Amino acid sequence: MDKLDLKGKWNEWKGKIKQEYADWTDDDLKYEEGKDEELLGRIQQKLGKTREDVVNWLNNLG
């Protein structure tokens, strides 16, 4: 499974996600340091995908 560097790239990814999914709120995309898994879980729920799919999707955004 790919690794994900949320801390370093999150603001860039957040902007791209909001362009693609305009109905997502700031709460859906809220990043708190140390809570990476919680954020990934929210994204998984919204997309209906596996964790691995979400990680790959995010890595491909950047």
Side-chain angles (χ1 to χ4, degrees), residues 9-31:
K9 298 181 180 178
W10 184 244
N11 286 332
E12 178 184 338
W13 286 342
K14 183 178 174 181
K16 289 180 180 183
I17 292 168
K18 288 183 102 176
Q19 285 177 352
E20 191 170 335
Y21 297 97
D23 61 326
W24 288 26
T25 66
D26 285 335
D27 284 341
D28 293 330
L29 300 173
K30 183 177 181 181
Y31 172 74

Side-chain angles (χ1 to χ4, degrees), residues 1 20-21 24 37-58 60:
M1 190 177 307
E20 191 170 335
Y21 297 97
W24 288 26
E37 293 302 318
E38 188 177 309
L39 173 61
L40 288 174
R42 286 195 305 269
I43 294 172
Q44 274 182 262
Q45 242 180 348
K46 294 288 272 184
L47 292 176
K49 306 246 182 213
T50 67
R51 183 189 186 285
E52 186 173 351
D53 289 339
V54 169
V55 169
N56 289 333
W57 176 67
L58 289 171
N60 288 327

